Amino acid sequence: MTLTWIAVEAATGRVICPLPGLVVPDLPLTIGRSEQAQASLPLTDDLHPDWERAVTDGYSCLVALDGDTPKWGGIVLDSPRTEDDTISLSLLTIDGYFERRYVGSVSYQGVGRCRMIADLIARFVASGTVPGIPIDVLVLDEGVVDSASWGSAEGKTVADALDDLDEREGSVEWVTTWRRVVDGAGVRYLPRLAVGTTIGDTSAAPGVTLSTGTAVTHFMQPRSYKSGSGANRVKAVSSGQGSARPMTGWAVAPDDGRPAFDEVYTPQTSLTADETLGGAARERLAQIAAGRRSLTLEVRTSGTNIPVPGTDYGVGDTVGYDLTGRSLGY
């Protein structure tokens, strides 16, 4: 897969110009979290006349295309100038913009969490007193029915509100992608937030398997029970002040032979309701009761019988793996 790059206006999605010399080594994309990427643009004589506008920090987004199909995009955060003939750029995926927009007073009662997120994005990211980035929201399902409220005096960002919902018991996932739009305004490239209980194809039988010796060139599986990585008893305490800091009792994992490891956990947002705070404790316990267990694969993206990311599998899809390594016991 060969990608080409264009710059678009963040506020409108209109194309500024192509950037044929742009180099972006990695295109990180993670469910429920923003990512940054580093890029470099050689200042050659054949650059488009609008190249300076195309790399203006806070103004433009750089979008990778496979043909006409957008595969990744990020807003320009940093574009420092030096005596060099190359500009180094920092790019941020669009969900990082949620940290720069604040939530007004809003309340939801008996609403699916995914629908809440869609409304928060529509009110406080895509529009608001001053319009922001015109992001579309694709709601995959309603999600867990819940109640939540935020006040403008709390000073919470949209990212804070999403973290609040994410830390509650029960799954909710989101990820930003891009889409090509052709309408009366011409051709535009606009971000889209997909939100659902799960993202991608999560069927039990994976459609793609990545194997050592073919696609997989290196893997890393951290295993840890150090503080912050493992605990089998979790108590949640609100981030409020003094006597306004309610606390749950202990959420306890089933006995697996380990002695007790305790963690007092403070959610990122000020949860106060006992039920909600208790749910946060149980959610945290589910994440760390067995210790830190993750798996990072470095894979080839081209070659004979090599699955191609974004084509053969995407973000959130169930992907199988066949790894060999003595430390894994395989």
Side-chain angles (χ1 to χ4, degrees):
M1 178 173 61
T2 301
L3 299 177
T4 59
W5 287 89
I6 59 171
V8 305
E9 296 173 345
T12 68
R14 291 194 292 260
V15 177
I16 300 171
C17 68
L19 293 172
L22 187 74
V23 176
V24 188
D26 299 302
L27 304 179
L29 189 63
T30 303
I31 291 174
R33 189 180 74 202
S34 62
E35 294 283 1
Q36 289 195 40
Q38 303 304 309
S40 58
L41 180 68
L43 301 181
T44 58
D45 292 338
D46 58 352
L47 272 179
H48 193 280
D50 270 346
W51 73 264
E52 289 196 77
R53 188 162 67 95
V55 296
T56 300
D57 43 299
Y59 173 81
S60 68
C61 292
L62 307 188
V63 180
L65 302 179
D66 180 11
D68 288 332
T69 303
K71 292 295 186 178
W72 190 91
I75 190 167
V76 177
L77 282 187
D78 300 303
S79 57
R81 308 301 168 90
T82 71
E83 70 279 4
D84 293 338
D85 291 333
T86 299
I87 294 181
S88 297
L89 306 167
S90 294
L91 310 177
L92 179 69
T93 54
I94 294 300
D95 34 10
Y97 178 69
F98 303 165
E99 300 171 7
R100 305 295 297 274
R101 299 303 302 267
Y102 283 81
V103 175
S105 295
V106 62
S107 179
Y108 305 98
Q109 300 295 322
V111 178
R113 289 180 194 163
C114 300
R115 189 62 62 185
M116 288 187 206
I117 290 174
D119 189 62
L120 288 168
I121 299 301
R123 289 196 195 196
F124 305 117
V125 175
S127 57
T129 306
V130 178
I133 292 176
I135 182 170
D136 175 58
V137 181
L138 175 64
V139 178
L140 302 177
D141 57 75
E142 295 295 319
V144 176
V145 174
D146 203 348
S147 297
S149 62
W150 296 271
S152 56
E154 295 180 57
K156 299 294 185 181
T157 65
V158 174
D160 290 332
L162 268 60
D163 285 341
D164 180 351
L165 296 173
D166 184 43
E167 289 181 321
R168 300 183 182 198
E169 192 172 21
S171 173
V172 60
E173 297 181 346
W174 62 87
V175 70
T176 53
T177 58
W178 286 75
R179 61 194 182 105
R180 182 176 186 263
V181 176
V182 182
D183 55 21
V187 177
R188 294 178 294 152
Y189 291 88
L190 300 172
R192 162 171 281 175
L193 182 81
V195 57
T197 302
T198 56
I199 299 292
D201 180 2
T202 58
S203 56
V208 167
T209 298
L210 305 175
S211 302
T212 306
T214 54
V216 178
T217 59
H218 174 70
F219 69 85
M220 170 64 73
Q221 185 187 52
R223 300 172 68 90
S224 175
Y225 221 77
K226 67 183 181 183
S227 179
S229 295
N232 47 22
R233 301 201 325 154
V234 174
K235 181 182 291 188
V237 58
S238 172
S239 58
Q241 298 295 319
S243 60
R245 298 189 69 193
M247 180 181 293
T248 66
W250 292 105
V252 181
D255 183 10
D256 64 358
R258 288 186 174 97
F261 286 83
D262 297 343
E263 177 178 286
V264 176
Y265 166 66
T266 302
Q268 295 184 40
T269 51
S270 300
L271 306 179
T272 55
D274 290 344
E275 180 181 354
T276 304
L277 200 58
R282 293 187 294 271
E283 183 75 9
R284 176 64 175 169
L285 179 66
Q287 295 169 359
I288 65 173
R292 185 183 180 194
R293 298 290 188 269
S294 61
L295 180 64
T296 301
L297 305 178
E298 293 182 9
V299 300
R300 298 182 180 90
T301 58
S302 62
T304 304
N305 297 323
I306 301 296
V308 178
T311 300
D312 297 314
Y313 61 97
V315 176
D317 289 352
T318 297
V319 175
Y321 55 87
D322 181 8
L323 307 177
T324 57
R326 291 187 178 182
S327 65
L328 289 177
Y330 296 165

